[in-house]
């Protein structure tokens, strides 16, 4: 394989020619030679060393080779005849081991010594291997060259140890990892992708697109674990057997592909004393710190950047060739774009999509076609784009971006793509809609044509909501909302009435629409709601995220996994934040009752954690102030040990049930109000609500528990229980309305549960019962609960959901759940005698 | 440059959409400063003093959206990129240069210690 002294091959290397030696027979090395030959074929006598035992091929096409879509022969760029015809000496399968700058020569593994006048380093990159135990086991491969592909194909061909389907674990959910996973799964393996970050391809995709990609890969049978950290690769007899994750999960594997990133291959240069940072440092002409040595490709660092895609390499090779043939042009750096080569999945991304100050996000989603498009505009210029599902306009956006073109004129139509936006007059979406033919379909879901929508508008439907109500256009998935709004504008001119307020600026739907569609379309996670309901922002805002989190929790109790990052601080920390950043802790005291054990535990906590204050709250319990976030789990553990659970003084949830002493002691008491209060609190604690929810039970109409300013209040009378709803102390005081009267405690509990569930299912997020009842009317509430069997049905749904909610969050935290929210990252003591301590 | 950066551990230790804190004990004037290290949902990392320019609210406890944190005390919006209060509010919190390399987070040592952040870290 080595080609030692075959100097005589090819055209005689004239003595007059400078000797150019290239280290690296890869994409950049060979392209650089091609570029030089195209400018001046007589200039150099060229020798190329390649560590791989083969000719120059198109590395990026290794993915299709793995997937079985191409053969190696089809991806060769320059066959042996190219080297021969151009008088190039190819030394393949022989790795250069050192550069002797003093004598201007390189020394290869075979012992071959090659003198140079000019040296070109084009060594590419090395795959990064994460330093976990087991990384050196057989069957752990990277994805860089043809040998890696062969190893993967061999594993795929073998199958599992007992003749079943072979199992592959791919570590890394970036471009390379996903292409490897795709190939292996087409080759019949059962594939699991492990990705450290929460979003696949997070350097190229935002959360929304990453979610779509993950869903699609899962639909195709791959398992995708995000936020998963590899702890160890487990082996048997020197061969890989599985992968163990940090959380203890163990995944069996017959092959493990490590595709977590690349590192510029700089060892040769570094050892030769050429200046190296992350990559080999080059100037705009690809010259290193040694004027006789050039470098190009993934191994270099130019103006602080290292690249991992081919497009920039082509630019570098042109600049290099211009320079050595003495017409220097200079390389200016490149802007890059990415496409994923997985058949049937269209993903494109370019530029900066992190957004932020001064950036405007334009988002379009089409759930029925599985499309998500986001273009980021800053100062009237496109600075980034993320496209999923429809990437036809990727190159157009990329072009606008590279040229830095001013897009203010086409801003409105930009997101619809080039065909639409560059259509001159059609750049105005209203004009474009006006130009549609009468039978053009506006709403695909409900089959409504333009003519029908216009007729509906002319018949008096002057708002989006009225159109939705009359002809159903845009009433289902909502993707045609923009078109209907344009038709309203075109048909009515200025007379469009704005509809009911939308949930927030991220959507054209109202709270009611969103709640209804979550149930109808069985939407189960936040990114899915955003995609299906065409959110106009990539990841929502501080106002819609908590609302969606609640709506999903309410619609799918038991199934939905709470999204901590969509919670306000108090709910995330299960305590109330105070002005100095410490927290207050309020344990539940059922119905306002307590006992020596609880009081002792509270007293102990106050002393142990130096709490500066304890106070009796207006909700009949004790509030411990001044607890640091790090101490919260320990405080809770102590309170739990005395039988106390979270009082949810911090939540949009059931707060307290206030009681008075009632018939057991009070000379006026008509019923056991204390006992009923405790029963109600035991039934309702832990439930999440649209807003906070307070209950009270008074033993007689003197109403010492202030039941008539609570969300749900019970006033006991001789003949039974009066049930009151919709009261509010606070900013705007509202006395309750009487919902009805019942004879027994059981009925009182049943109606309480039913009322709460109706409120939970129908109110808007952050709407307390008082404004909710003012909005829908007391009669509506009464009617809903008066329907045959309604009270039982609502109550049953409430009790079902409570099975999952009555799980003390403090106990879970005390046991270590979400411990990162409480612990410091580390402590840093930078001054004498101090050191870094990792928590 | 190497040696100027303080390795504060792997990126996985901060859940996206949240922040964690790093107390710096001692220091100029011997007071303890707290640094908040943020991981946004768009997978960027930022470090700022954990002290709202309004009334010293602990920014680490706010809701993170885009590259902004909403202070948990009175809802000021603070840019994680510049430390500046957004909208009508005025104020600025010092930022600490941060970089992520091979899955680990590094903070610029001199800025952590409080010698004043240099103009711009490369
Ligand atoms: C601790 C307590 C005051 C006290 O020391 O007594 C209290 C403290 C706070 N109340 Fe209250 N309220 C407390 C009973 C009340 C009551 C009386 C009651 O529940 O019987 C009311 C009037 C009744 C009502 O809600 O209808 C009350 C009406 C409010 C309001 C106004 C609500 C409204 O709908 O207008 C707010 C503001 C809000 O929620 O947006 C509020 C908000 C707050 C907050 C959460 C302010 C904040 O956002 O930080 C305070 C938290 C302090 C903390 O860290 O604990 N607090 N608050 C009481 C805790 C009760 C408990 O044990 O859980
Ligand atoms: C599977 C896969 C898919 C990809 N898909 C895409 C894509 O879709 N789009 C895109 O833009 N990019 C893609 N890339 C990246 C692209 O292939 C690289 O950017 C490109 O190959 C880099 O060219 P290079 O010449 O710098 O390095 P390489 O092509 O890696 O060439 C370097 C060569 O130098 C040899 N070498 C190293 N050290 C020595 C030594 N000491 N002596 C002798 N020889 C040595 C190596 O063996 C190698 O053959 C993909 C990469 C892979 C692996
Ligand atoms: S009344 Fe005002 S100051 Fe007092 S606890 Fe309630 S919110 Fe705080
Ligand atoms: S302290 Fe941050 S907003 Fe007031």
């Amino acid at each position: 394989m080595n080609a030692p002294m075959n100097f005589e091959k090819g055209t005689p290397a004239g003595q007059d020619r400078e000797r150019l030696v290239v280290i690296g027979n890869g994409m950049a090395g060979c392209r650089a030679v091609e570029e030089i030959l195209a400018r001046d074929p007589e200039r150099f006598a060229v020798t190329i060393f390649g560590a791989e035992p083969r000719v120059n091929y198109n590395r990026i096409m290794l993915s299709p080779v793995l997937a079985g879509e191409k053969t190696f022969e089809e991806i060769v760029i320059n066959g042996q005849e190219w080297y021969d015809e151009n008088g190039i000496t190819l030394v393949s399968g022989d790795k250069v081991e050192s550069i002797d700058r003093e004598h201007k020569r390189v020394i290869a593994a075979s012992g071959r010594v090659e003198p140079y006048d000019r040296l070109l380093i084009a060594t590419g990159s090395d795959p990064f291997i994460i330093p976990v135990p087991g990384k050196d086991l057989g069957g752990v491969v990277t994805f860089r060259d043809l040998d890696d592909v062969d190893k993967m194909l061999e594993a795929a061909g073998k199958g599992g140890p007992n003749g079943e389907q072979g199992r592959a674990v791919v570590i890394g959910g970036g471009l390379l990892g996903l292409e490897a996973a795709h190939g292996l799964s087409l080759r019949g393996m059962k594939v699991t992708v492990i990705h450290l970050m929460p979003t696949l391809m997070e350097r190229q995709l935002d959360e929304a697109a990453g979610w779509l990609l993950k869903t699609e890969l899962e639909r195709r049978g791959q398992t995708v674990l995000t936020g998963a950290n590899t702890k160890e690769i487990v082996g048997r007899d020197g061969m890989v057997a599985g992968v163990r994750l940090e959380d203890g999960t163990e995944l069996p594997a017959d092959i493990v592909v490590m595709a977590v990133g690349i590192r510029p291959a700089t060892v040769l240069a570094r050892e030769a004393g050429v200046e190296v940072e992350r990559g080999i440092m080059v100037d705009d002409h690809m010259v290193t710190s040694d004027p006789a040595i050039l470098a190009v490709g993934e191994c270099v660092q130019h103006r602080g950047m290292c690249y991992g895609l081919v497009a920039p390499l082509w630019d570098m090779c042109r600049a290099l060739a211009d320079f050595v043939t003495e017409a220097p042009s200079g390389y200016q750096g490149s802007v890059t774009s990415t496409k994923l080569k997985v058949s049937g999945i269209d993903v494109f991304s370019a530029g900066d999509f992190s957004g932020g100050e001064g950036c405007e996000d334009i988002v379009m989603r089409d759930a029925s076609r599985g499309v998500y498009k986001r273009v980021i505009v800053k100062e009237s210029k496109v600075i980034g784009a993320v496209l999923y599902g429809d990437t036809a306009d990727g190159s157009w956006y990329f072009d606008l971006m590279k040229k830095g073109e001013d897009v203010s004129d086409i801003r409105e139509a930009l997101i619809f793509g080039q065909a639409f936006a560059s259509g001159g007059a059609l750049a105005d979406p209203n004009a474009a809609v006006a130009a549609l033919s009468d039978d053009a379909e506006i709403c695909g879901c409900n089959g409504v044509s333009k003519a029908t929508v216009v007729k509906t508008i002319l018949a008096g439907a002057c708002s989006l909501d009225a159109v939705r109500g009359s002809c159903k256009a845009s009433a289902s998935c909502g993707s045609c909302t923009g078109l209907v709004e344009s038709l309203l504008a075109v048909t009515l001119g200025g007379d469009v009435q704005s509809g009911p307020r939308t949930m927030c600026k991220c959507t054209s739907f109202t709270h009611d629409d969103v709640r209804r569609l979550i149930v109808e379309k069985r939407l189960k996670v936040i990114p899915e709601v955003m995609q299906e309901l065409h959110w106009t922002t990539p990841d929502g805002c501080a106002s819609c995220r908590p609302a969606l989190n609640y709506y999903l929790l309410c619609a799918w109790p038991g199934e939905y996994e709470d999204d901590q990052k969509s919670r306000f601080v108090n709910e995330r920390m299960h305590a109330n934040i105070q002005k100095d950043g410490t927290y207050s802790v309020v344990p539940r005291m059922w119905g306002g009752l307590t006992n020596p054990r609880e009081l002792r535990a509270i007293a102990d906590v106050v002393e142990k954690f130096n709490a500066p204050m304890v106070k009796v709250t207006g909700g009949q319990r004790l509030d411990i102030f001044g607890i640091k976030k790090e101490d919260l789990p320990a405080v809770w553990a102590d309170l739990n040990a005395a039988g106390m659970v979270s009082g949810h003084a911090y939540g949009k949830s059931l707060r307290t049930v206030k009681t008075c002493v009632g018939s057991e002691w009070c000379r006026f008491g008509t019923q056991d109000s204390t006992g009923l209060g405790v029963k109600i609190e035991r039934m309702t604690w832990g439930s999440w609500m649209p807003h906070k929810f307070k209950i009270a039970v008074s033993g007689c109409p003197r109403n010492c528990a202030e039941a008539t300013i609570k969300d749900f209040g019970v006033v006991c009378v001789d003949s039974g229980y009066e049930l009151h709803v919709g009261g509010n102390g606070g900013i705007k005081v509202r006395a309750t309305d009487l919902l009805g009267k019942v004879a027994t405690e059981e009925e009182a509990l049943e109606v309480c549960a039913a009322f709460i569930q109706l409120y939970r299912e129908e109110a808007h997020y952050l709407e307390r019962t008082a404004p909710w009842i003012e909005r829908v009317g007391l009669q509506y509430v009464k009617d809903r609960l008066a329907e045959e069997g309604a009270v039982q049905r609502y109550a049953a749904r409430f009790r079902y959901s409570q099975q999952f909610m009555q799980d003390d969050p403090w106990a879970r935290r005390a046991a270590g759940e979400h411990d990162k929210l409480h612990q410091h990252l580390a402590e840093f003591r930078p001054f004498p005698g101090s050191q870094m301590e990792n928590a | 440059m190497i040696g100027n950066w303080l390795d504060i551990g792997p990126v996985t230790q901060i859940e996206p959409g949240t922040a964690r804190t790093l107390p710096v004990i001692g220091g100029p004037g011997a007071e303890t400063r707290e640094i908040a290290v943020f991981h946004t949902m768009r997978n960027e990392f930022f470090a700022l003093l954990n002290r709202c320019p309004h009334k010293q609210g602990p920014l680490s406890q706010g809701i993170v959206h885009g590259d902004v944190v909403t202070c948990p005390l009175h809802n000021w919006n603070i840019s994680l990129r510049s430390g500046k209060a957004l909208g009508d509010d005025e104020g600025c919190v010092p930022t600490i240069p941060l970089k992520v390399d091979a899955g680990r987070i590094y903070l610029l040592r001199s800025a952590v210690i409080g010698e004043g952040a240099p103009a711009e870290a490369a």
Side-chain angles (χ1 to χ4, degrees), chain A residues 459-471:
Chain A
C462 298
S463 68
L464 180 62
D465 231 48
V467 173
R468 281 180 180 163
S470 321
C471 72

Side-chain angles (χ1 to χ4, degrees), chain A residues 593-610:
Chain A
L593 296 178
T594 186
N595 57 43
R597 183 167 175 236
E598 291 180 352
L599 292 172
R600 216 169 270 128
I602 290 176
D604 288 344
V605 160
V606 171
E607 285 181 352
K608 182 165 159 192
F609 295 91
N610 269 322

Side-chain angles (χ1 to χ4, degrees), chain A residues 10-326:
Chain A
T11 51
Q15 268 80 354
D16 51 325
R17 295 195 189 180
E18 276 186 67
R19 289 163 302 183
L20 172 66
V21 172
V22 181
I23 310 177
N25 185 34
M27 299 193 72
C30 289
R31 174 61 81 100
V33 172
E34 285 179 26
E35 293 281 355
I36 294 170
L37 292 175
R39 284 166 181 72
D40 185 354
E42 309 291 314
R43 176 76 193 241
F44 293 105
V46 182
T47 304
I48 304 179
F49 282 85
E52 291 183 65
R54 52 186 72 89
V55 293
N56 169 230
Y57 62 95
N58 188 348
R59 190 171 310 285
I60 76 177
M61 298 311 265
L62 285 177
S63 299
V65 170
L66 177 64
E69 291 155 359
K70 286 239 180 329
T71 61
F72 177 71
E73 289 65 39
E74 288 174 281
I75 71 165
V76 167
I77 303 177
N78 289 309
Q80 186 59 47
E81 65 290 350
W82 175 77
Y83 298 89
D84 297 343
E85 280 160 20
N86 291 293
I88 299 166
T89 309
L90 170 63
V91 190
S92 63
D94 196 3
K95 194 171 176 188
V96 172
E97 301 224 298
S98 62
I99 303 170
D100 174 0
R101 285 168 56 209
E102 199 186 331
H103 302 99
K104 286 201 170 175
R105 55 188 192 179
V106 300
I107 298 111
S110 64
R112 177 171 179 146
V113 176
E114 190 73 38
Y116 65 81
D117 299 306
R118 287 281 178 128
L119 180 66
L120 171 58
I121 308 179
T123 44
S125 324
D126 297 319
F128 184 66
I129 311 279
I130 43 173
V132 288
K135 67 180 168 48
D136 301 318
L137 287 166
V140 178
V141 301
T142 55
F143 190 14
R144 183 71 195 174
D145 60 27
L146 189 68
D147 299 330
D148 297 328
V149 172
D150 287 341
K151 285 183 209 152
M152 286 191 245
L153 292 180
E154 193 194 319
K158 256 199 235 146
N162 308 315
E164 78 281 15
Q165 197 183 14
R167 289 152 309 186
V169 170
V170 176
I171 305 178
L175 198 84
L176 280 190
L178 296 183
E179 291 184 6
H182 172 67
L184 289 169
S185 102
L186 285 187
R187 296 288 187 166
M189 296 198 88
K190 176 114 200 57
V191 180
T192 303
V193 177
I194 303 175
H195 192 50
L196 190 64
M197 302 303 260
T199 312
L200 291 176
M201 288 177 66
E202 78 284 349
R203 284 170 50 205
Q204 291 90 16
L205 301 183
D206 57 16
E207 191 194 22
W211 177 80
L212 284 167
L213 178 59
K214 177 166 184 259
T215 314
E216 174 59 23
L217 294 175
E218 285 167 343
R219 203 189 55 75
R220 293 177 171 207
Q222 295 181 21
T223 306
V224 180
L225 305 176
T226 49
N229 199 4
T230 307
K231 186 157 188 223
E232 176 178 3
I233 299 174
V234 194
R236 199 178 306 117
D237 311 327
M239 288 301 290
V240 60
V243 172
R244 188 173 301 128
L245 304 181
E246 201 149 68
D247 68 4
T249 313
E250 212 171 307
L251 306 159
D254 303 308
I255 185 169
V256 171
V257 182
M258 253 204 226
V260 293
I262 51 171
R263 280 289 166 88
T266 56
V267 181
L268 269 184
R270 191 189 299 275
E271 285 175 353
V274 174
E275 201 177 316
V276 170
E277 265 183 17
R278 208 142 58 90
I280 303 169
M281 306 284 278
V282 292
D283 66 10
D284 289 356
H285 307 293
M286 316 315 292
V287 180
T288 67
S289 59
D290 176 341
I293 304 182
L294 303 153
V296 74
E298 281 184 349
C299 59
V300 310
Q301 176 175 335
H302 172 260
R303 298 192 188 172
M305 294 286 294
C306 295
Y307 295 94
L309 293 167
V310 295
L313 315 186
W314 300 162
D315 295 340
M316 292 179 194
C317 290
R318 273 192 293 275
L320 176 138
D322 286 342
F323 175 72
V324 296
T325 56
E326 274 139 26

